[in-house]
mmCIF file of all heavy atoms in Angstrom:
data_model
loop_
_atom_site.group_PDB
_atom_site.id
_atom_site.type_symbol
_atom_site.label_atom_id
_atom_site.label_comp_id
_atom_site.label_asym_id
_atom_site.label_seq_id
_atom_site.Cartn_x
_atom_site.Cartn_y
_atom_site.Cartn_z
ATOM 1 N N GLY A 1 211.005 141.958 359.282
ATOM 2 C CA GLY A 1 212.380 142.381 359.496
ATOM 3 C C GLY A 1 213.187 141.354 360.262
ATOM 4 O O GLY A 1 214.285 140.971 359.849
ATOM 5 N N THR A 2 212.634 140.862 361.381
ATOM 6 C CA THR A 2 213.399 139.922 362.216
ATOM 7 C C THR A 2 213.549 138.555 361.564
ATOM 8 O O THR A 2 214.479 137.813 361.893
ATOM 9 C CB THR A 2 212.729 139.767 363.599
ATOM 10 O OG1 THR A 2 211.307 139.681 363.444
ATOM 11 C CG2 THR A 2 213.060 140.943 364.485
ATOM 12 N N THR A 3 212.655 138.198 360.632
ATOM 13 C CA THR A 3 212.821 136.923 359.923
ATOM 14 C C THR A 3 214.106 136.921 359.105
ATOM 15 O O THR A 3 214.686 135.867 358.835
ATOM 16 C CB THR A 3 211.600 136.653 359.013
ATOM 17 O OG1 THR A 3 210.435 136.521 359.832
ATOM 18 C CG2 THR A 3 211.765 135.360 358.223
ATOM 19 N N LYS A 4 214.566 138.110 358.727
ATOM 20 C CA LYS A 4 215.828 138.209 357.980
ATOM 21 C C LYS A 4 217.025 137.912 358.875
ATOM 22 O O LYS A 4 218.125 137.667 358.381
ATOM 23 C CB LYS A 4 215.975 139.613 357.387
ATOM 24 C CG LYS A 4 214.889 139.986 356.394
ATOM 25 C CD LYS A 4 214.968 141.460 356.024
ATOM 26 C CE LYS A 4 213.777 141.861 355.167
ATOM 27 N NZ LYS A 4 213.753 143.330 354.902
ATOM 28 N N VAL A 5 216.796 137.939 360.191
ATOM 29 C CA VAL A 5 217.870 137.683 361.158
ATOM 30 C C VAL A 5 217.782 136.256 361.693
ATOM 31 O O VAL A 5 218.759 135.520 361.707
ATOM 32 C CB VAL A 5 217.788 138.694 362.318
ATOM 33 C CG1 VAL A 5 218.836 138.386 363.382
ATOM 34 C CG2 VAL A 5 217.966 140.111 361.794
ATOM 35 N N GLY A 6 216.579 135.863 362.142
ATOM 36 C CA GLY A 6 216.387 134.514 362.673
ATOM 37 C C GLY A 6 216.454 134.491 364.183
ATOM 38 O O GLY A 6 217.454 134.898 364.775
ATOM 39 N N ASP A 7 215.386 134.040 364.818
ATOM 40 C CA ASP A 7 215.319 133.948 366.277
ATOM 41 C C ASP A 7 216.059 132.696 366.736
ATOM 42 O O ASP A 7 215.678 131.581 366.380
ATOM 43 C CB ASP A 7 213.852 133.884 366.719
ATOM 44 C CG ASP A 7 213.700 133.849 368.235
ATOM 45 O OD1 ASP A 7 214.726 133.931 368.932
ATOM 46 O OD2 ASP A 7 212.553 133.729 368.702
ATOM 47 N N PRO A 8 217.109 132.825 367.544
ATOM 48 C CA PRO A 8 217.833 131.640 368.014
ATOM 49 C C PRO A 8 217.117 130.891 369.124
ATOM 50 O O PRO A 8 217.547 129.796 369.505
ATOM 51 C CB PRO A 8 219.152 132.223 368.516
ATOM 52 C CG PRO A 8 218.805 133.609 368.964
ATOM 53 C CD PRO A 8 217.728 134.085 368.010
ATOM 54 N N SER A 9 216.024 131.463 369.677
ATOM 55 C CA SER A 9 215.331 130.832 370.806
ATOM 56 C C SER A 9 214.832 129.446 370.438
ATOM 57 O O SER A 9 214.056 129.285 369.494
ATOM 58 C CB SER A 9 214.145 131.700 371.250
ATOM 59 O OG SER A 9 214.569 132.985 371.644
ATOM 60 N N GLY A 10 215.273 128.445 371.187
ATOM 61 C CA GLY A 10 214.798 127.089 370.974
ATOM 62 C C GLY A 10 215.339 126.431 369.723
ATOM 63 O O GLY A 10 214.897 125.345 369.346
ATOM 64 N N LYS A 11 216.314 127.052 369.063
ATOM 65 C CA LYS A 11 216.846 126.498 367.820
ATOM 66 C C LYS A 11 218.253 125.961 368.057
ATOM 67 O O LYS A 11 219.070 126.583 368.718
ATOM 68 C CB LYS A 11 216.879 127.567 366.720
ATOM 69 C CG LYS A 11 215.531 128.219 366.462
ATOM 70 C CD LYS A 11 214.514 127.227 365.941
ATOM 71 C CE LYS A 11 213.190 127.879 365.611
ATOM 72 N NZ LYS A 11 212.513 128.455 366.781
ATOM 73 N N ASP A 12 218.513 124.788 367.466
ATOM 74 C CA ASP A 12 219.820 124.172 367.628
ATOM 75 C C ASP A 12 220.804 124.599 366.548
ATOM 76 O O ASP A 12 221.997 124.351 366.634
ATOM 77 C CB ASP A 12 219.698 122.641 367.593
ATOM 78 C CG ASP A 12 219.025 122.107 368.854
ATOM 79 O OD1 ASP A 12 218.998 122.828 369.857
ATOM 80 O OD2 ASP A 12 218.518 120.963 368.814
ATOM 81 N N GLU A 13 220.304 125.202 365.487
ATOM 82 C CA GLU A 13 221.185 125.545 364.380
ATOM 83 C C GLU A 13 220.694 126.809 363.685
ATOM 84 O O GLU A 13 219.585 127.283 363.913
ATOM 85 C CB GLU A 13 221.242 124.395 363.367
ATOM 86 C CG GLU A 13 219.883 123.999 362.830
ATOM 87 C CD GLU A 13 219.949 122.736 361.977
ATOM 88 O OE1 GLU A 13 220.852 121.913 362.189
ATOM 89 O OE2 GLU A 13 219.085 122.596 361.095
ATOM 90 N N VAL A 14 221.549 127.353 362.844
ATOM 91 C CA VAL A 14 221.232 128.582 362.130
ATOM 92 C C VAL A 14 220.136 128.320 361.102
ATOM 93 O O VAL A 14 220.162 127.333 360.378
ATOM 94 C CB VAL A 14 222.495 129.121 361.425
ATOM 95 C CG1 VAL A 14 222.165 130.396 360.655
ATOM 96 C CG2 VAL A 14 223.602 129.386 362.435
ATOM 97 N N ARG A 15 219.166 129.216 361.049
ATOM 98 C CA ARG A 15 218.080 129.075 360.093
ATOM 99 C C ARG A 15 218.523 129.497 358.696
ATOM 100 O O ARG A 15 219.385 130.357 358.533
ATOM 101 C CB ARG A 15 216.900 129.974 360.493
ATOM 102 C CG ARG A 15 215.961 129.357 361.510
ATOM 103 C CD ARG A 15 214.857 130.337 361.802
ATOM 104 N NE ARG A 15 213.820 129.746 362.633
ATOM 105 C CZ ARG A 15 212.848 130.452 363.197
ATOM 106 N NH1 ARG A 15 212.792 131.755 363.019
ATOM 107 N NH2 ARG A 15 211.944 129.864 363.934
ATOM 108 N N LYS A 16 217.877 128.914 357.700
ATOM 109 C CA LYS A 16 218.078 129.337 356.327
ATOM 110 C C LYS A 16 217.445 130.709 356.144
ATOM 111 O O LYS A 16 216.316 130.957 356.564
ATOM 112 C CB LYS A 16 217.426 128.332 355.369
ATOM 113 C CG LYS A 16 217.529 128.725 353.904
ATOM 114 C CD LYS A 16 216.789 127.739 353.023
ATOM 115 C CE LYS A 16 216.820 128.174 351.571
ATOM 116 N NZ LYS A 16 216.041 127.248 350.700
ATOM 117 N N LEU A 17 218.187 131.638 355.543
ATOM 118 C CA LEU A 17 217.685 132.995 355.363
ATOM 119 C C LEU A 17 216.815 133.082 354.112
ATOM 120 O O LEU A 17 217.134 132.516 353.069
ATOM 121 C CB LEU A 17 218.855 133.976 355.265
ATOM 122 C CG LEU A 17 219.733 134.107 356.515
ATOM 123 C CD1 LEU A 17 220.848 135.115 356.282
ATOM 124 C CD2 LEU A 17 218.901 134.513 357.724
ATOM 125 N N LEU A 18 215.714 133.815 354.219
ATOM 126 C CA LEU A 18 214.789 134.013 353.100
ATOM 127 C C LEU A 18 215.014 135.390 352.487
ATOM 128 O O LEU A 18 215.435 136.326 353.167
ATOM 129 C CB LEU A 18 213.340 133.909 353.584
ATOM 130 C CG LEU A 18 212.908 132.586 354.221
ATOM 131 C CD1 LEU A 18 211.487 132.712 354.750
ATOM 132 C CD2 LEU A 18 212.993 131.454 353.214
ATOM 133 N N ASP A 19 214.680 135.524 351.194
ATOM 134 C CA ASP A 19 214.773 136.846 350.570
ATOM 135 C C ASP A 19 213.480 137.618 350.812
ATOM 136 O O ASP A 19 212.500 137.089 351.347
ATOM 137 C CB ASP A 19 215.078 136.727 349.069
ATOM 138 C CG ASP A 19 214.020 135.948 348.298
ATOM 139 O OD1 ASP A 19 212.860 135.844 348.769
ATOM 140 O OD2 ASP A 19 214.338 135.438 347.210
ATOM 141 N N ASN A 20 213.463 138.885 350.413
ATOM 142 C CA ASN A 20 212.316 139.754 350.680
ATOM 143 C C ASN A 20 211.038 139.236 350.030
ATOM 144 O O ASN A 20 209.956 139.307 350.637
ATOM 145 C CB ASN A 20 212.610 141.168 350.180
ATOM 146 C CG ASN A 20 213.606 141.896 351.053
ATOM 147 O OD1 ASN A 20 213.765 141.562 352.226
ATOM 148 N ND2 ASN A 20 214.281 142.889 350.507
ATOM 149 N N ASP A 21 211.141 138.727 348.797
ATOM 150 C CA ASP A 21 209.949 138.230 348.098
ATOM 151 C C ASP A 21 209.355 137.027 348.828
ATOM 152 O O ASP A 21 208.130 136.918 348.972
ATOM 153 C CB ASP A 21 210.298 137.855 346.650
ATOM 154 C CG ASP A 21 210.588 139.072 345.785
ATOM 155 O OD1 ASP A 21 210.210 140.189 346.201
ATOM 156 O OD2 ASP A 21 211.198 138.910 344.712
ATOM 157 N N GLY A 22 210.211 136.129 349.291
ATOM 158 C CA GLY A 22 209.731 134.948 350.011
ATOM 159 C C GLY A 22 209.059 135.324 351.319
ATOM 160 O O GLY A 22 208.011 134.778 351.678
ATOM 161 N N ILE A 23 209.650 136.283 352.033
ATOM 162 C CA ILE A 23 209.068 136.734 353.298
ATOM 163 C C ILE A 23 207.721 137.406 353.063
ATOM 164 O O ILE A 23 206.744 137.149 353.775
ATOM 165 C CB ILE A 23 210.036 137.686 354.025
ATOM 166 C CG1 ILE A 23 211.272 136.914 354.505
ATOM 167 C CG2 ILE A 23 209.346 138.368 355.205
ATOM 168 C CD1 ILE A 23 212.375 137.784 355.067
ATOM 169 N N SER A 24 207.624 138.252 352.046
ATOM 170 C CA SER A 24 206.367 138.952 351.741
ATOM 171 C C SER A 24 205.270 137.971 351.366
ATOM 172 O O SER A 24 204.111 138.124 351.789
ATOM 173 C CB SER A 24 206.587 139.957 350.609
ATOM 174 O OG SER A 24 207.491 140.972 351.001
ATOM 175 N N ALA A 25 205.612 136.956 350.570
ATOM 176 C CA ALA A 25 204.623 135.945 350.180
ATOM 177 C C ALA A 25 204.138 135.164 351.392
ATOM 178 O O ALA A 25 202.942 134.868 351.521
ATOM 179 C CB ALA A 25 205.230 134.999 349.141
#
């Protein structure tokens, strides 16, 4: 669930969002 949001901790930029199939794999 949280991978769909992206943790900003320690990150300098916005992460690329993954779809449900990519996250499940």
Side-chain angles (χ1 to χ4, degrees):
T2 42
T3 297
K4 298 171 187 174
V5 176
D7 183 3
S9 300
K11 304 296 183 296
D12 289 341
E13 57 188 27
V14 179
R15 276 180 172 169
K16 177 184 177 183
L17 296 180
L18 300 175
D19 60 22
N20 287 337
D21 289 343
I23 292 172
S24 296

